[in-house]
């Protein structure tokens, strides 16, 4: 499965979360580290859901960019 991951840059780290998997988050010092950690977090999250007898939600989130004119 291919889940959309949102990466956010903070003052001293990068955060990552998966909109389709509430509670599935990761934080790394670099963007690459955050991505590697969220990949692991997704695997563990799905394994835990399966072990708990929960239904695995299919990937549904999408993203796009919207161009907004700069304020004068």
């Amino acid at each position: 499965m291919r889940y959309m991951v949102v990466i956010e840059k903070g003052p001293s780290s990068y955060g990552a979360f998966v909109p389709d998997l509430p509670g599935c988050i990761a934080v790394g010092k670099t963007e690459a580290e955050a991505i590697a950690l969220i990949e692991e977090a997704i695997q563990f999250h799905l394994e835990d859901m399966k072990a708990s007898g929960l239904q695995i939600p299919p990937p549904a989130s999408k993203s796009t960019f919207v161009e907004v004119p700069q304020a004068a």
Side-chain angles (χ1 to χ4, degrees), residues 3-42:
Y3 286 97
M4 185 186 83
V5 173
V6 176
I7 307 291
E8 297 179 323
K9 184 177 182 339
S12 61
S13 64
Y14 287 82
F17 69 94
V18 184
D20 293 326
L21 301 172
C24 187
I25 61 170
V27 177
K29 290 184 180 180
T30 65
E31 183 177 355
E33 183 180 23
I35 292 169
L37 291 172
I38 197 68
E39 288 175 358
E40 289 180 24
I42 291 169

Side-chain angles (χ1 to χ4, degrees), residues 34-52:
I35 292 169
L37 291 172
I38 197 68
E39 288 175 358
E40 289 180 24
I42 291 169
Q43 290 175 1
F44 289 130
H45 195 88
L46 296 177
E47 288 172 8
D48 185 55
M49 289 182 74
K50 186 175 180 181
S52 299

